[in-house]
Amino acid sequence: MSDTIDLTGDGGVLKTIVRHAKPDAIAPSESLPLVDVHYEGILADTGEVFDTTREDNTVFTFEVGKGSVIKAWDVALRTMKVGEVAKITCMPEYAYGSAGSPPEVPPDAILIFEVELVTCRPRRGASLSSVSDERARLEELKKQREVAAATKEEEKKRREEAKAAAAARIQAKLEAKKGQGKGKGKGK
């Protein structure tokens, strides 16, 4: 195990890495806010497991930073990478506080979680690209459409010019034929 890191600066959330992620592993971000985790929650005072996903091998999914989990998890998961396993010690003010979470978690309980970050992914319907990448893609599409519209307009103008030139040639031929017909000795 590695050294313990104080993630909040006040000792409220402590993290100890149990297993490091691979160096190129991804982390939760604005474009990948949904996380799947395996975890085991332990009451620090008794060592009793009060909640786990390990028994039935399920994952728990939530969106980081939305307040849908205890504060300690929002803080700690932002610092983790996929594949990492960490021990997260949570003081009551970053967990369930003075209310607890009856009947499993008593009031003012210090909690220890062993958390494995399994995956990070975008919100449903979102792509993997970041917001700035998406803006750049949309700007490029806009430019491509403008170029296509300009090209189409130029082709239309050329076609109209070609039609006008063809009409002028036909008119000139008709005029020439009219002029030829008058001088051929047709009597009146």
Side-chain angles (χ1 to χ4, degrees):
M1 278 210 279
S2 59
D3 295 332
T4 299
I5 306 160
D6 183 348
L7 298 178
T8 53
D10 62 1
V13 182
L14 305 174
K15 173 183 165 185
T16 306
I17 297 174
V18 175
R19 183 181 76 214
H20 288 275
K22 292 180 180 174
D24 61 343
I26 59 172
S29 64
E30 204 172 297
S31 60
L32 298 170
L34 290 179
V35 295
D36 293 336
V37 298
H38 280 301
Y39 70 91
E40 184 169 85
I42 301 165
L43 299 173
D45 288 347
T46 64
E48 177 187 339
V49 174
F50 67 89
D51 195 11
T52 184
T53 60
R54 300 226 182 263
E55 286 179 0
D56 57 0
N57 199 31
T58 58
V59 292
F60 176 65
T61 302
F62 70 98
E63 186 169 344
V64 174
K66 291 295 182 185
S68 58
V69 293
I70 61 173
K71 288 181 198 173
W73 275 37
D74 271 338
V75 169
L77 267 293
R78 290 175 199 235
T79 70
M80 294 180 70
K81 291 184 172 187
V82 171
E84 181 178 321
V85 177
K87 182 176 103 176
I88 310 297
T89 303
C90 318
M91 294 302 123
E93 57 272 18
Y94 290 92
Y96 295 104
S98 60
S101 183
E104 294 85 11
V105 180
D108 297 315
I110 297 172
L111 307 178
I112 300 169
F113 288 93
E114 185 171 288
V115 180
E116 176 186 4
L117 180 54
V118 179
T119 60
C120 299
R121 51 197 163 88
R123 285 178 198 89
R124 191 170 302 230
S127 70
L128 287 173
S129 62
S130 70
V131 173
S132 60
D133 289 344
E134 185 65 10
R135 282 192 188 124
R137 186 185 73 79
L138 290 173
E139 193 61 35
E140 183 61 30
L141 270 174
K142 183 179 175 184
K143 286 178 186 173
Q144 289 173 0
R145 286 184 185 136
E146 288 170 353
V147 167
T151 302
K152 191 173 182 179
E153 194 61 36
E154 286 176 27
E155 288 172 359
K156 182 179 176 184
K157 188 177 176 182
R158 276 188 289 230
R159 281 194 307 270
E160 287 173 358
E161 288 172 352
K163 283 182 186 176
R169 282 192 307 273
I170 291 171
Q171 186 64 37
K173 285 182 181 178
L174 287 174
E175 293 294 325
K177 282 186 180 181
K178 277 186 187 179
Q180 287 173 356
K182 288 183 179 177
K184 284 205 171 184
K186 288 189 178 178
K188 285 188 177 179

